[in-house]
Amino acid sequence: MTNAALTVTALHRYPVKGLSPEPLDVASLAAGAYFPGDRLFAVENGPSGFDPAAPAHQPKIKYLMLMRNEALARLSTVYDDATGVLAIREGDREVASGDLATPEGRLAIEAFFRRFVPKELRGPPKVLAAPEGYRFTDSRGGFVSLINLASVAAVDDMVGAAVNPLRFRGNLHVTGLPAFAELDLVGTELATETGLRLKVTKRIVRCAATNVDPVTGERDLAIPEALQRNLGHADCGIYAEVVAGGEVRAGDVLRVAG
């Protein structure tokens, strides 16, 4: 894989765990940091034990998330970094908004989820904010996630249906590799001409969240099962850590360093 070249085709962040993606034109990645604006918040599904003063990674089942709460995919959300306001729409109607930096704003969002998924709540929903240096990622080392679009196309064939790459909730969509060749990049470093360097740390094991259509909210496919049946594992996509910062945008090429 020493000659591998990955072209970035799209960038996305997910400000609130389990809620909709936001496309980006450019992202400025810092060494040792998470993807900017990604998984800043989570909605606790009943008491989780999360302590912002001593943040420790929690299983995602403690939060509202697509693996079990597929109705979340029907919502379109936008988080404004400047104002701290999260706006939630269902269809063409705004159904909630609130400044997540204020108690009143968080209460407005929590009240919405009490109405939206009442039967799926194990206790009062609570908006949690990630303290500095922590994010609500599925993996402790999930700093930046990359999705190989050739692998997604191969999943199309496995399940007999067109698969939206957004089902995999990745930060960077890339082309230029054969299907599932990204899995062989673990341990390598990827670099752009401008100096950004990413160390590929692990494969991403897919869960039932990928079975949910990110537009309709329907649980209509069985992707982890198809991966396991065809490949003997349920891996698709990779996590990477930022070892040298820099900007990344669509069209940038990541090459295996060294």
Side-chain angles (χ1 to χ4, degrees):
M1 300 292 290
T2 54
N3 296 320
L6 295 68
T7 300
V8 177
T9 63
L11 301 82
H12 294 89
R13 71 174 191 172
Y14 294 78
V16 183
K17 186 178 186 68
L19 299 185
S20 65
E22 294 183 5
L24 300 173
D25 294 324
V26 61
S28 182
L29 278 59
Y34 289 90
F35 193 84
D38 198 51
R39 276 79 172 186
L40 294 169
F41 304 95
V43 182
E44 185 180 62
N45 187 357
S48 69
F50 180 77
D51 181 0
H57 188 268
Q58 300 278 353
K60 60 186 172 184
I61 60 171
K62 294 192 175 184
Y63 310 117
L64 290 178
M65 43 85 183
L66 285 174
M67 188 175 80
R68 292 188 176 176
N69 315 115
E70 62 266 28
L72 298 177
R74 301 205 310 266
L75 304 174
S76 174
T77 57
V78 174
Y79 176 69
D80 188 314
D81 296 285
T83 65
V85 171
L86 175 71
I88 304 177
R89 301 183 68 85
E90 185 175 11
D92 58 0
R93 183 171 65 97
E94 183 172 286
V95 291
S97 68
D99 181 350
L100 299 187
T102 68
E104 296 79 10
R106 293 191 296 273
L107 283 171
I109 299 301
E110 292 160 4
F112 166 73
F113 283 109
R114 284 198 298 273
R115 299 190 302 270
F116 186 64
V117 286
K119 295 181 180 179
E120 299 176 32
L121 296 176
R122 299 189 297 269
K126 181 181 179 181
V127 175
L128 302 177
E132 186 69 27
Y134 181 87
R135 296 293 178 85
F136 294 102
T137 52
D138 285 353
S139 170
R140 289 179 177 85
F143 293 94
V144 181
S145 54
L146 293 82
I147 306 301
N148 177 8
L149 295 186
S151 300
V152 178
V155 175
D156 289 359
D157 296 333
M158 292 179 189
V159 299
V163 174
N164 188 332
L166 292 177
R167 287 182 185 254
F168 297 90
R169 300 179 67 78
N171 299 130
L172 303 179
H173 293 175
V174 299
T175 60
L177 293 175
F180 303 104
E182 75 276 13
L183 305 180
D184 298 325
L185 293 176
V186 174
T188 67
E189 287 191 9
L190 306 174
T192 65
E193 291 183 350
T194 56
L196 173 68
R197 292 173 72 93
L198 304 176
K199 181 179 180 180
V200 182
T201 55
K202 64 185 296 186
R203 302 177 175 197
I204 303 176
V205 182
R206 307 320 315 198
C207 71
T210 56
N211 295 338
V212 179
D213 186 298
V215 177
T216 67
E218 295 181 13
R219 193 177 296 275
D220 56 356
L221 296 177
I223 289 176
E225 294 87 340
L227 289 168
Q228 189 69 46
R229 185 172 59 251
N230 285 272
L231 303 177
H233 60 73
D235 302 343
C236 185
I238 47 179
Y239 285 125
E241 180 180 356
V242 185
V243 294
E247 288 191 341
V248 61
R249 64 188 73 229
D252 283 354
V253 175
L254 291 159
R255 299 185 185 276
V256 175

